[in-house]
Amino acid sequence: MWTVVYVSQAEQKASELAKLLEKSKIISRVRHIKCDADDGCFEVLVPQTELDMAQDLIFETDL
């Protein structure tokens, strides 16, 4: 099951995180969703089994 680990209004920021996760051997994907912003929001998702590793990486890199 896929789990959301990050939400951003900036597509570039979500893509940067996905690339960082990939470099760390963590599977991820970016999904465009509708939200209050004109352009929508972007979710970064990871498999539930890799959630802890992804969260640790996000905290370590201050994203």
Side-chain angles (χ1 to χ4, degrees):
M1 177 183 290
W2 290 90
T3 304
V4 176
V5 291
Y6 194 79
V7 178
S8 175
Q9 289 181 328
E11 182 177 11
Q12 180 179 356
K13 189 120 175 156
S15 295
E16 287 175 10
L17 175 57
K19 288 177 186 177
L20 180 63
L21 291 168
E22 183 181 320
K23 286 181 183 178
S24 298
K25 307 284 191 233
I26 299 172
I27 300 167
S28 67
R29 67 183 191 188
V30 177
R31 177 172 62 184
H32 182 253
I33 60 170
K34 290 196 177 243
C35 64
D36 292 338
D38 292 337
D39 295 331
C41 296
F42 299 87
E43 295 179 331
V44 179
L45 299 98
V46 297
Q48 191 170 12
T49 57
E50 298 189 18
L51 179 60
D52 290 335
M53 292 185 297
Q55 287 177 329
D56 289 344
L57 184 63
I58 291 169
F59 291 131
E60 289 171 8
T61 57
D62 292 327
L63 288 174

